[in-house]
Amino acid sequence: MEELTLKMENTQGDINIRTGQALPLREPQKIAISGDINTVRVFAQKRLVGQELAGLQAVLTDKSVIYTDKAKREIKLAIDPENYYGATVTGTLELTDDLKGFDINSQSLMNREKLVKLLKFSKRFFDSPEVHLNVLTAYSAFKATSTTQHENSNDQRGNKTVVMDKKVNSNLPESFVLNMPIFKGMPNERFMVEVCLEVTDAGAHFWFESPELVELIAKRTDEIFTDQLKDIGDIVIINV
């Protein structure tokens, strides 16, 4: 049995000596944290080091790097890129699930039944109950008629012309305004949505387009990124 010699001087209070098998040594755990767009700013403000805090989650301005990717709407903090176990923190600016449900600018086609169901449960996104009712009623009572005119000519000299002119007559509004959050955790935005319609032998199909929404997403992304990065300190920022 191995002897243990312990010498103590000027001690006060109780001393506990534990014997037995020690816990096994383990490698540090590589930390990867992700959350909403505020995640990097909040983490950096709490963990910026100048004094006591140390370790793999300590944010040192001379080592840490922030990467921004506006195409992915992502801000990523690499606390110590040279260290394999250095923690990373990622914040993402995400579109709301409600906005995604409209499939705006995706060219996703809907039949009348699917469109009416979507509008029926979207009352809260319209400026008033009356506006919502008018739009919903118009689509619920939708009837489209199409007229097709053909012109087929042949001059008997090999020149042949075929012209088809198709017109669709409908009682639908061509657009409406939505008032809803674009990004998660952000306030409502108002933007116009255009209703596109195509009538074929298989029936009528609809899809939504909104150039205004495209502009809003780009503008708000720039503004939000600027706001998120202004209070992070002197950390190197790299735009991807």
Side-chain angles (χ1 to χ4, degrees):
M1 177 181 296
E2 184 178 354
E3 293 185 358
L4 175 65
T5 301
L6 182 64
K7 183 179 181 181
M8 299 176 290
E9 296 180 356
N10 300 323
T11 61
Q12 296 180 352
D14 297 333
I15 296 177
N16 296 320
I17 300 177
R18 296 190 175 110
T19 61
Q21 186 175 1
L23 293 174
L25 295 176
R26 297 186 182 277
E27 295 180 339
Q29 184 175 354
K30 191 172 183 177
I31 302 297
I33 300 170
S34 60
D36 64 19
I37 195 63
N38 298 299
T39 303
V40 169
R41 179 177 64 177
V42 171
F43 188 94
Q45 289 176 342
K46 297 292 185 181
R47 299 293 177 88
L48 274 170
V49 173
Q51 333 78 340
E52 307 165 358
L53 182 64
L56 295 175
Q57 295 186 42
V59 179
L60 301 170
T61 55
D62 60 342
K63 287 188 175 182
S64 301
V65 179
I66 288 178
Y67 302 92
T68 66
D69 189 337
K70 290 184 179 179
K72 294 181 178 179
R73 295 190 287 272
E74 183 178 278
I75 299 175
K76 181 177 180 180
L77 168 64
I79 291 178
D80 187 356
E82 294 182 356
N83 189 334
Y84 176 82
Y85 297 103
T88 59
V89 183
T90 304
T92 305
L93 185 61
E94 295 186 75
L95 298 175
T96 63
D97 293 335
D98 290 325
L99 178 63
K100 291 178 183 178
F102 281 86
D103 282 330
I104 301 171
N105 298 325
S106 69
Q107 304 301 316
S108 178
L109 299 179
M110 296 176 284
N111 58 25
R112 187 185 71 88
E113 289 73 20
K114 184 177 179 180
L115 177 61
V116 169
K117 184 177 180 180
L118 174 62
L119 292 173
K120 182 178 181 180
F121 292 97
S122 301
K123 181 178 179 179
R124 64 192 183 279
F125 302 132
F126 286 77
D127 286 336
S128 70
E130 292 77 15
V131 173
H132 171 259
L133 181 60
N134 291 337
V135 174
L136 178 60
T137 300
Y139 283 98
S140 298
F142 164 70
K143 291 182 180 179
T145 59
S146 63
T147 58
T148 304
Q149 295 180 346
H150 295 270
E151 178 185 337
N152 193 336
S153 61
N154 190 332
D155 62 3
Q156 305 301 322
R157 294 183 178 276
N159 299 316
K160 186 175 182 179
T161 302
V162 179
V163 177
M164 183 176 71
D165 183 19
K166 184 175 183 180
K167 295 181 180 180
V168 177
N169 304 308
S170 72
N171 57 345
L172 295 177
E174 296 182 358
S175 64
F176 54 82
V177 174
L178 290 177
N179 187 353
M180 65 191 307
I182 295 175
F183 298 115
K184 292 182 178 180
M186 299 298 167
N188 283 14
E189 301 278 0
R190 294 181 77 256
F191 55 94
M192 181 174 291
V193 178
E194 299 173 5
V195 184
C196 302
L197 166 65
E198 181 181 57
V199 177
T200 65
D201 294 339
H205 293 88
F206 305 85
W207 69 97
F208 297 138
E209 294 182 356
S210 178
E212 190 173 344
L213 177 61
V214 174
E215 296 296 325
L216 266 177
I217 289 175
K219 181 179 179 181
R220 295 293 182 257
T221 298
D222 287 341
E223 294 173 350
I224 292 169
F225 269 54
T226 299
D227 182 65
Q228 289 294 319
L229 297 172
K230 69 181 181 182
D231 297 324
I232 290 184
D234 295 329
I235 302 175
V236 173
I237 299 175
I238 297 176
N239 298 316
V240 178

